[in-house]
Amino acid sequence: MSEFWTLFNYILLGTIQGITEPIPISSSGHLIILREIFEIDAEGLSFEILVNFGSLIAVLLVYRKDIIRLIQNGFRFLVSKDPDAKSDFMFIVFLVIATIPTGVIGLLFEDKIGDLSRAYTVGITLLITGAALWIIRNLRGNKNDGEISMKDALIVGFAQSAALIPGISRSGATIVAAMLVGMKQETALRFSFLLYIPVSLGLGILSVGDMINDPDMDALMIPYLLAFMASIIASYFALKWFMGIMARGNLKYFAFYCFIVGILCILFMR
């Protein structure tokens, strides 16, 4: 494979990861589909970690004001028990609680989940993602940030763990669950993407050793870096765009997309 084609492949995968991570159509599923269509060999763990970390940086940039407020009010409540800061403190607690199911299930079933990384399987799970999005297409919740309960957090957390299966969108699963328990669209979106932060950070920390020992790291440093940058830029603009889509309640279009791509994968990528 030529050097140019190698660089193009990695930039393409980084861009697709970036676009599809924030929107509810499964980034992992699309990477698997692209790899099979174009026969791209970019399956190293380091690559996965870097492009996901690129999406994490984009989420941090978009939600930086919310993150700063949560941190400040969380410390304020811990130090002075200021009642005005309690809802933000509890929001952090519920994010931690919602992270637990994904961590436990991911560790227990890591090998079995890896066996599902086939485009045909992604086709089936995209149909499931599409059906879930169709169910909530007209929902309008009434719960604000301060009205989330521990039960709500656990339900969203278990929904996120379902997204360990390629083709089940992480953002889609968490937003669907959040809206089914009654969260407003803005609250559901914020909870979903702030929940991405501890999951992505945890994956990165646990995988530092694997990255250091990755035999491809030196040879593919430039392609990895370009994919990383592409992921940041694409994730940032995709997330900003998706926030507008959520505000207008147009989730049905993502359901249609998942149905179409899922059916095509099942028919042509056995």
Side-chain angles (χ1 to χ4, degrees), residues 11-258:
I11 292 171
L12 175 64
L13 289 178
T15 302
I16 295 300
Q17 151 69 28
I19 293 171
T20 56
E21 180 60 50
I23 62 179
I25 58 173
S26 178
S27 59
S28 61
H30 278 73
L31 289 181
I32 290 168
I33 293 169
L34 276 178
R35 284 169 177 162
E36 291 200 18
I37 291 176
F38 295 105
E39 298 182 350
I40 300 173
D41 183 16
E43 300 184 1
L45 181 61
S46 296
F47 174 78
E48 298 282 357
I49 296 165
L50 283 172
V51 292
N52 275 284
F53 193 67
S55 294
L56 170 63
I57 290 175
V59 171
L60 292 172
L61 289 171
V62 172
Y63 281 100
R64 62 191 181 279
K65 292 181 180 178
D66 293 284
I67 294 167
I68 292 170
R69 188 196 74 244
L70 287 169
I71 292 172
Q72 290 175 338
N73 287 343
F75 276 115
R76 201 167 89 215
F77 183 78
L78 282 173
V79 172
S80 63
K81 294 296 186 291
D82 184 344
D84 292 334
K86 183 177 180 180
S87 68
D88 281 339
F89 173 77
M90 292 307 300
F91 195 92
I92 296 171
V93 171
F94 291 142
L95 286 174
V96 173
I97 290 171
T99 303
I100 295 171
T102 304
V104 173
I105 293 172
L107 289 173
L108 290 176
F109 298 101
E110 180 180 3
D111 294 336
K112 294 185 182 299
I113 291 169
D115 294 338
L116 300 174
S117 297
R118 295 173 51 243
Y120 178 78
T121 306
V122 168
I124 296 171
T125 50
L126 279 175
L127 294 182
I128 296 171
T129 294
L133 292 171
W134 183 258
I135 289 170
I136 65 155
R137 68 193 185 281
N138 295 321
L139 284 185
R140 299 291 184 274
N142 53 24
K143 289 183 181 179
N144 293 310
D145 292 15
E147 297 171 307
I148 300 172
S149 68
M150 184 177 294
K151 178 182 176 183
D152 296 338
L154 282 171
I155 290 173
V156 175
F158 277 106
Q160 179 171 254
S161 66
L164 292 168
I165 302 171
I168 301 292
S169 165
R170 192 213 66 85
S171 62
T174 51
I175 288 170
V176 166
M179 293 184 68
L180 285 175
V181 299
M183 293 186 203
K184 289 182 176 179
Q185 288 175 314
E186 183 181 351
T187 298
L189 193 66
R190 181 161 42 248
F191 194 85
S192 170
F193 284 104
L194 292 180
L195 183 57
Y196 178 68
I197 296 172
V199 171
S200 186
L201 279 176
L203 174 64
I205 292 169
L206 290 173
S207 304
V208 168
D210 295 305
M211 290 184 65
I212 292 173
N213 297 318
D214 187 343
D216 297 323
M217 181 57 79
D218 290 338
L220 294 174
M221 179 64 74
I222 301 244
Y224 278 5
L225 182 59
L226 290 174
F228 173 67
M229 296 301 296
S231 177
I232 295 174
I233 296 168
S235 291
Y236 180 86
F237 287 106
L239 177 51
K240 296 288 282 186
W241 173 70
F242 182 52
M243 292 168 77
I245 294 288
M246 278 288 290
R248 294 190 294 273
N250 290 334
L251 287 174
K252 63 183 179 182
Y253 297 112
F254 295 108
F256 293 148
Y257 177 87
C258 289

